[in-house]
């Protein structure tokens, strides 16, 4: 019993491991997402020049970069299975739950890896590193929960669009209305954190981010079976 | 059919009541009268979204095409009423706030609803196979539906709303003249009936034209 109960977790880890190995063979998703983020960041940095931005614009730009970078790379995880026609084999091998969790874990790790590169770069290029009075720990907390929400939405929408035609254009269109709660609370919370507000002032935003993440993950797990099932 | 004529007379009475019988609200002047059409439109937009999500869940449980047909028909009518609510609201905003659009929380939420409907139909048009189209759009509809309650809490955090709210206010009661509320709730009932009638007609048309249902389906 104890062994069976954790079978799905083991299987998810195996799927995750498989995707990591495949990723390091081609490095497609990581290249796409990191280069996209750096290109956007450079474009913004060039266009504003040496001007110092207000925290309102600063937090909005950061999350817009993160959102569109996620849109550029996170769909690959499911689209690849369809393009290389490995989806059917995967359907035979294991349960939908472990496939979804494995792929979700991969997207979460990928998004965090992107943020480790892009967030320090963003603050260096935007000339904010020396500005005093920001609550950095709180910012990291918001970044963590916001990214979890964003990665979860991206994973379930990626599963949907991998079955449809016109995938690239459709991904952002479908994901945007669903990610809006994440984007709005993250942008609002990030602004508060950059202005040096305390934890309790950011609490409503954090609560929304955590609640949204839990709800969307649950709904995704419940509905993924229907997306994944072939005719 | 006698009830169709009765319904026609009822709606004519509501329109006459809105323009002639109901008094105007203080401070809003004659623009009050759009209330009797704008608010029911927004209500139908929300109701259609709910109906569509319910039939999407039913489709995933029962796998019968009729549920998908109902879900997508409700969404189509919902889209029309969302556009109507957006336009009537925008016209009213121009009169009172002197700008057609200024991202008031209510304007944002109706716009997000519009985005969700648009994404739903974009998804439907991108899938060819019938069952797959039904399955994927049902899942999308459910995911979008669980997102909406969050937006209700999140969106007002950006800006304070200036929108007058006779229905959804903190005190939870209706502050309206009795003649006004008669027309107002009458209009609600009329629009709701109109929605279900339109839904029924759409399903009948689709049944006759593209779907060949077996008797038990």
């Amino acid at each position: 019993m104890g062994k069976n109960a954790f079978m799905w977790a083991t299987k998810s880890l195996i799927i995750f491991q498989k995707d990591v190995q495949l990723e390091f063979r081609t490095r497609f998703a990581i290249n796409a997402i990191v280069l996209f983020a750096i290109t956007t960041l450079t474009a913004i940095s060039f266009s504003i020049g040496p001007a110092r931005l207000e925290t309102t614009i600063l937090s909005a730009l950061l999350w817009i970069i993160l959102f569109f970078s996620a849109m550029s790379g996170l769909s690959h995880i499911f689209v690849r299975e369809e393009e290389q026609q490995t989806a059917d084999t995967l359907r035979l091998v294991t349960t939908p739950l472990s496939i979804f969790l494995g792929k979700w874990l991969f997207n979460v790790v990928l998004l965090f890896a992107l943020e480790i590169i892009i967030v320090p770069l963003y603050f260096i290029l935007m000339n904010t590193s020396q500005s005093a009075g920001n609550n950095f720990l709180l910012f990291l907390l918001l970044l963590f929960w916001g990214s979890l929400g964003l990665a979860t939405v991206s994973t379930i929408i990626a599963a949907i669009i991998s079955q449809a035609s016109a995938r690239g254009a459709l991904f952002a269109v479908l994901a945007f209305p669903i990610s809006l709660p994440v984007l709005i609370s993250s942008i609002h919370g990030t602004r508060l954190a950059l202005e040096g507000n305390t934890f309790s002032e950011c609490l409503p935003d954090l609560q929304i981010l955590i609640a949204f993440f839990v709800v969307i993950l649950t709904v995704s797990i419940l509905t993924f079976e229907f997306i994944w099932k072939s005719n | 059919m006698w009830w169709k004529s009765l319904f026609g007379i009822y709606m004519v009475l509501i329109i006459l009541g809105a323009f002639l019988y109901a008094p105007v609200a203080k401070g809003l002047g004659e623009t009050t009268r759009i209330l009797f059409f704008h608010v029911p439109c927004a209500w139908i937009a929300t109701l259609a979204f709910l109906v569509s999500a319910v039939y999407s869940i039913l489709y995933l449980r029962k796998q019968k095409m009729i549920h998908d047909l109902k879900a997508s028909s409700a969404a189509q009518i919902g889209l029309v009423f969302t556009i109507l609510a957006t336009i009537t609201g925008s016209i009213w905003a121009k009169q009172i706030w002197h700008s057609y659009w200024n991202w008031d929380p209510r304007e944002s939420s109706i716009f997000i609803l519009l985005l969700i409907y648009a994404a739903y139909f974009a998804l439907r048009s991108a899938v060819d196979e019938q069952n797959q189209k039904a399955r994927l759009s049902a899942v999308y509809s459910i995911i979008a539906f669980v997102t909406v309650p969050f937006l209700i809490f999140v969106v007002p955090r950006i800006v304070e709303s200036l929108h007058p709210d006779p229905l959804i206010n903190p005190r939870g009661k209706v502050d309206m003249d009795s003649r006004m509320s008669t027309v107002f709730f009458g209009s609600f009932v009329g629009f709701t009936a109109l929605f279900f009638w339109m839904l029924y007609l759409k399903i009948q048309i689709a049944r006759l034209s593209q779907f060949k249902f077996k008797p038990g389906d």
Side-chain angles (χ1 to χ4, degrees):
Chain A
M1 181 59 206
K3 199 183 168 194
N4 281 340
F6 288 102
M7 265 311 261
W8 59 269
T10 323
K11 281 180 179 167
S12 316
L13 280 177
I14 294 171
I15 296 284
F16 171 68
Q17 215 172 10
K18 170 204 85 98
D19 279 320
V20 170
Q21 271 176 10
L22 268 178
E23 180 56 37
F24 275 107
R25 218 176 275 166
T26 59
R27 285 180 296 279
F28 179 92
I30 192 90
N31 278 342
I33 191 170
V34 172
L35 288 178
F36 186 91
I38 289 178
T39 313
T40 322
L41 182 55
T42 321
I44 290 171
S45 188
F46 266 131
S47 53
I48 63 161
R52 278 235 188 156
L53 294 181
E54 284 175 41
T55 45
T56 321
I57 300 172
L58 208 61
S59 55
L61 280 179
L62 175 68
W63 281 96
I64 289 170
I65 294 176
L66 289 179
F67 173 74
F68 280 105
S69 308
M71 291 302 104
S72 75
L74 295 191
S75 68
H76 187 60
I77 189 88
F78 279 108
V79 171
R80 178 175 62 205
E81 302 288 354
E82 297 295 330
E83 276 174 358
Q84 298 176 349
Q85 294 168 357
T86 47
D88 286 332
T89 322
L90 210 55
R91 282 191 184 97
L92 292 175
V93 171
T94 184
T95 58
L97 174 69
S98 12
I99 291 170
F100 179 77
L101 286 178
K103 301 217 173 254
W104 170 76
L105 192 62
F106 180 85
N107 270 350
V108 169
V109 170
L110 188 61
L111 196 58
F112 281 149
L114 170 81
E115 281 163 3
I116 289 172
I117 303 170
I118 216 74
V119 172
L121 258 180
Y122 182 78
F123 285 115
I124 292 167
L125 285 176
M126 292 294 163
N127 263 332
T128 49
S129 47
Q130 64 271 50
S131 72
N134 52 26
N135 194 340
F136 197 66
L137 208 67
L138 187 59
F139 167 70
L140 286 185
L141 209 59
L142 281 159
L143 192 66
F144 175 78
W145 287 106
S147 315
L148 276 182
L150 201 55
T152 315
V153 172
S154 309
T155 311
I156 190 74
I157 301 294
I160 292 178
I161 60 127
S162 70
Q163 317 265 330
S165 52
R167 288 158 186 160
L170 211 53
F171 191 36
V173 170
L174 291 188
F176 181 64
I178 313 288
S179 352
L180 265 173
V182 178
L183 290 178
I184 294 172
S185 346
S186 304
I187 291 171
H188 188 261
T190 305
R191 179 173 67 80
L192 290 181
L194 291 180
E195 286 169 359
N197 285 289
T198 54
F199 180 78
S200 58
E201 277 167 280
C202 261
L203 196 62
D205 288 312
L206 268 175
Q207 281 171 333
I208 288 167
L209 286 178
I210 296 170
F212 180 78
F213 163 66
V214 171
V215 167
I216 210 79
L217 186 65
T218 314
V219 174
S220 303
I221 288 171
L222 288 175
T223 53
F224 178 70
E225 199 185 321
F226 297 105
I227 304 170
W228 188 241
K229 189 168 63 179
S230 69
N231 293 303
Chain B
M1 295 270 250
W2 60 273
W3 60 270
K4 284 182 193 166
S5 347
L6 208 66
F7 182 68
I9 295 167
Y10 180 79
M11 285 311 270
V12 168
L13 279 178
I14 291 295
I15 294 168
L16 286 177
F19 283 101
L20 302 174
Y21 174 69
V24 298
K26 220 195 304 179
L28 296 177
E30 290 295 322
T31 61
T32 319
R33 306 201 185 282
I34 208 165
L35 162 92
F36 304 112
F37 309 104
H38 165 72
V39 182
C41 279
W43 152 248
I44 297 302
T46 323
L47 179 70
F49 192 52
L50 172 72
V51 169
S52 179
V54 168
Y55 278 118
S56 298
I57 295 170
L58 271 177
Y59 174 77
L60 290 184
R61 285 188 70 92
K62 304 266 165 72
Q63 306 282 334
K64 284 186 179 164
M65 281 315 278
I66 183 76
H67 293 311
D68 174 60
L69 179 63
K70 284 178 180 172
S72 68
S73 305
Q76 278 172 28
I77 301 167
L79 181 64
V80 173
F81 279 96
T82 311
I83 293 169
L84 283 176
T86 315
I87 294 172
T88 50
S90 193
I91 292 169
W92 182 84
K94 178 68 183 169
Q95 284 305 311
I96 296 294
W97 301 335
H98 304 292
S99 114
Y100 284 113
W101 202 263
N102 59 358
W103 294 110
D104 186 83
R106 291 298 173 79
E107 289 179 335
S108 311
S109 38
I110 199 87
F111 184 72
I112 292 162
L113 199 58
L114 205 57
L115 274 183
I116 292 175
Y117 275 128
Y120 177 83
F121 289 112
L123 176 64
R124 287 188 75 86
S125 64
V127 187
D128 293 327
E129 207 272 318
Q130 283 294 336
N131 287 313
Q132 202 168 26
K133 178 190 286 191
R135 253 193 358 249
L136 295 180
S137 55
V139 170
Y140 187 73
S141 175
I142 293 166
I143 295 174
F145 187 72
V146 298
T147 315
V148 169
F150 284 95
L151 291 166
I152 296 169
F153 296 108
V154 169
V155 171
R157 283 184 69 77
I158 338 171
V159 253
E160 290 272 311
S161 182
L162 297 169
H163 195 284
D165 32 19
L167 271 188
I168 315 153
N169 57 14
R171 284 151 294 153
K173 62 177 181 133
V174 184
D175 311 316
M176 263 199 272
D177 181 275
S178 65
R179 281 185 296 164
M180 223 163 129
S181 62
T182 311
V183 180
F184 186 67
F185 288 110
S187 177
F188 253 71
V189 173
F191 269 80
T192 311
L194 184 67
F195 167 70
F196 284 107
W197 189 21
M198 282 171 85
L199 187 61
Y200 169 76
L201 286 179
K202 271 207 79 69
I203 293 163
Q204 291 301 94
I205 291 166
R207 260 180 203 255
L208 292 171
S209 60
Q210 72 191 84
F211 286 87
K212 307 266 186 296
F213 284 104
K214 286 182 232 69
D217 208 14

